[in-house]
Amino acid sequence: MQFTELALSEEIMRAITDQGYDAPTPIQAAAIPVVLAGHDLLAAAQTGTGKTAAFTLPMLNKLRPYGNTSPSPARHPVRAVILTPTRELADQVFANVQSYSKYLPLRSTVIFGGMTMDPQTQALRAGVEVVVATPGRLLDHVGQKNINLGQVEFLVLDEADRMLDMGFINDIKRIMALMPAKRQTLLFSATFSPEIKALADQLLRHPEVIEVARQNTTAENVTQLLYKIEESQRYRLLQKLLKHHEMKQVLVFTRTKQTAERLSRQLVKDRISAVSIHGDKVQSARLEALAAFKEGRATVMVATDVAARGIDIDQLPHVINYELPGSPEDYVHRIGRTGRAGASGAAISFATPDEEKQLQGIEKLIRQQLKVGNANELLSAYSNNHRVSAPLPTSRPLPSSALALIPGRAGRPREIPALFLPPKQAMATQVVIAEDSATTATS
Ligand code: AMP
């Protein structure tokens, strides 16, 4: 998608060009039309996704008719308030608002605590359309009658999850009570925790919901691994991974609807409970497949990229890229299905020599080389179907060698990394699985 397709004004387009942006980021492409259409919005996006422009650009576009150069404060009532948890973020957002509005006759200012109120008071009293603020200081100004929120049309809650964590909920409610009920509210949060959902239920009216993975980078708590394989090894490797590591809930991606359907049928034939969702399935069949997967009746859900968009499954432990996606961005979307809300996850990709180009595109986008696992070792490791069925004691301590493999984890890992080790170490690490989910470990 191009910015020109987003129906933004010429002044805003010029400001975007000045920034040197080539194309909208995914959150911008998704959010801008929604905001322009006047909907409330609940968006999950972290810093680094381009989220600030995602709300600022359409907001400025809608405020554009109010722009004027009159010196009278009465001609510049506050039309938009952007609340942020910290002064640093407020400053950063304000810098963005300034850049994007530089060709528009709209005024903006930033107010936060930790500094004298006077300059802020002056700016507010002179009249300003857009105010970026931290909640406490905004209320201080309300208390001193420096600001009137009676004509606000836009409210943005940026990093709402952090604002909740920092105890701003009552301040936010007080601020909202001072605004007209008829307004557009946009809520951005890094995660959709139950608390955020509850807040959204209270504050938003029929919101559109958008969720994107971070652009050009991938969630830190997702362990990524690549197996370089031949075409003939693809299915066998998938079977190995599923069976011998006792994966309980795996989202498997294929590039085409045909492969998705064929693969799920083959898995069922091989007695692995699998469902599929793709564009050739009617909505009811997709919903049924998704329900079976969510409820644990199906271990594997095979999906195409398009069909998987918008699927929200909490803490999905594994994603397997059976085939690499056509576009590198889809890789980020795919692996964004796992490792959510701070949970750890594993994303495993298969790549044949024919997929080398896609692989290069992905590694360029995420700015890292994927760690390569030894497919042959894994394929031959259990060739005699050797399994030990006796459960390991659940109290057995986790070997430190296993913990070391879990990036950034100090506590108890939920599942995984066994897959990423050669078979010998893998045996030890699988205790993790037994410990946490009380399932039978294998060696
Ligand atoms: P944010 O997630 O809003 O903090 O933005 C992260 C960074 O991405 C900022 O430095 C923005 O200037 C930059 N950015 C925002 N939109 C785009 C875009 N469409 N293309 C390239 N960079 C962008």
Side-chain angles (χ1 to χ4, degrees):
M1 177 182 270
Q2 297 301 310
F3 275 114
T4 44
E5 295 169 58
L6 289 171
L8 293 166
S9 79
E10 180 273 325
E11 298 94 332
I12 292 174
M13 287 300 293
R14 228 176 337 136
I16 293 170
T17 308
D18 287 356
Q19 291 293 312
Y21 300 163
D22 288 336
T25 64
I27 184 75
Q28 291 163 5
I32 291 173
V34 168
V35 181
L36 287 176
H39 299 292
D40 279 6
L41 175 65
L42 172 60
Q46 297 173 348
T47 295
T49 54
K51 68 181 166 65
T52 316
F55 60 75
T56 306
L57 296 175
M59 188 187 81
L60 291 172
N61 206 82
K62 296 198 86 175
L63 295 180
R64 184 171 159 266
Y66 295 121
N68 70 86
T69 53
S70 163
S72 162
R75 298 287 314 280
H76 301 279
V78 178
R79 306 277 185 187
V81 171
I82 302 169
L83 292 179
T84 73
T86 62
R87 50 191 289 178
E88 290 77 19
L89 185 61
D91 229 11
Q92 198 178 302
V93 170
F94 176 56
N96 277 250
V97 172
Q98 282 186 308
S99 306
Y100 302 139
S101 65
K102 67 181 181 185
Y103 297 116
L104 291 169
L106 290 168
R107 299 179 182 177
S108 55
T109 195
V110 61
I111 55 178
F112 46 70
M115 56 189 295
T116 61
M117 287 179 73
D118 291 350
Q120 299 173 0
T121 303
Q122 278 171 21
L124 292 174
R125 291 202 162 166
V128 60
E129 278 84 12
V130 182
V131 174
V132 185
T134 52
R137 180 52 69 97
L138 180 64
L139 282 170
D140 292 343
H141 283 290
V142 168
Q144 299 198 4
K145 302 207 177 345
N146 297 332
I147 184 169
N148 180 336
L149 300 175
Q151 293 188 62
V152 169
E153 297 181 14
F154 277 97
L155 172 65
V156 181
L157 302 174
D158 194 11
E159 299 203 354
D161 44 351
R162 275 175 81 192
M163 287 202 273
L164 289 189
D165 289 347
M166 291 167 74
F168 284 136
I169 182 68
N170 288 330
D171 285 354
I172 292 172
K173 286 185 177 163
R174 281 176 62 201
I175 290 166
M176 297 195 61
L178 300 166
M179 295 177 174
K182 192 175 170 298
R183 55 150 203 273
Q184 212 176 335
T185 307
L186 318 175
L187 191 155
F188 283 74
S189 168
T191 60
F192 281 166
S193 62
E195 292 77 19
I196 285 294
K197 284 183 174 151
L199 183 70
D201 282 347
Q202 286 175 44
L203 306 188
L204 307 181
R205 254 179 279 157
H206 311 296
E208 297 274 334
V209 181
I210 296 173
E211 201 174 349
V212 296
R214 193 187 294 199
Q215 198 207 19
N216 293 4
T217 144
T218 44
E220 299 85 340
N221 50 350
V222 178
T223 309
Q224 300 173 71
L225 189 77
L226 173 74
Y227 284 114
K228 294 198 168 189
I229 51 161
E230 296 302 323
E231 192 57 56
S232 60
Q233 296 175 313
R234 219 188 274 272
Y235 183 68
R236 228 155 37 89
L237 187 61
L238 177 66
Q239 275 185 310
K240 291 278 180 192
L241 285 168
L242 295 174
K243 283 194 172 169
H244 292 281
H245 296 287
E246 299 202 330
M247 292 184 181
K248 293 279 185 287
Q249 200 185 34
V250 195
L251 184 54
V252 176
F253 281 99
T254 64
R255 234 148 63 80
T256 66
K257 302 182 256 192
Q258 293 79 4
T259 313
E261 189 57 34
R262 256 204 324 264
L263 178 58
S264 64
R265 281 172 197 262
Q266 188 61 50
L267 286 168
V268 171
K269 254 194 209 161
D270 291 329
R271 285 192 276 173
I272 295 169
S273 59
V275 291
S276 65
I277 53 164
H278 51 73
D280 281 349
K281 285 205 151 166
V282 295
Q283 187 66 8
S284 57
R286 287 199 218 183
L287 289 175
E288 168 48 31
L290 187 56
F293 185 57
K294 279 188 171 183
E295 289 159 19
R297 287 182 278 128
T299 303
V300 178
M301 183 161 78
V302 189
T304 55
D305 293 291
V306 175
R309 288 264 159 84
I311 291 176
D312 181 20
I313 303 162
D314 276 345
Q315 307 195 340
L316 187 60
H318 302 108
V319 165
I320 295 181
N321 294 313
Y322 188 72
E323 296 171 317
L324 290 183
S327 93
E329 285 80 11
D330 278 337
Y331 175 82
V332 180
H333 283 293
R334 286 179 178 191
I335 81 157
R337 321 296 333 170
T338 179
R340 290 181 169 207
S344 50
I348 301 162
S349 302
F350 300 175
T352 62
D354 283 347
E355 292 170 305
E356 193 56 37
K357 227 172 140 192
Q358 283 113 289
L359 178 60
Q360 282 172 8
I362 289 166
E363 293 187 329
K364 191 168 162 225
L365 180 77
I366 64 173
R367 300 195 195 112
Q368 60 173 285
Q369 278 206 312
L370 293 177
K371 186 164 174 278
V372 179
N374 190 332
N376 288 327
E377 198 168 25
L378 188 65
L379 284 165
S380 59
Y382 306 101
S383 52
N384 298 325
N385 260 356
H386 168 71
R387 295 179 70 159
V388 175
S389 54
L392 288 164
T394 54
S395 58
R396 194 162 143 184
L398 181 69
S400 57
S401 61
L403 265 182
L405 284 147
I406 305 162
R409 288 302 303 249
R412 288 156 55 91
R414 227 164 41 81
E415 295 199 27
I416 51 168
L419 318 175
F420 308 133
L421 305 173
K424 255 193 209 138
Q425 285 162 281
M427 286 192 300
T429 318
Q430 280 196 304
V431 179
V432 179
I433 299 175
E435 262 201 322
D436 273 356
S437 57
T439 53
T440 303
T442 62
S443 64

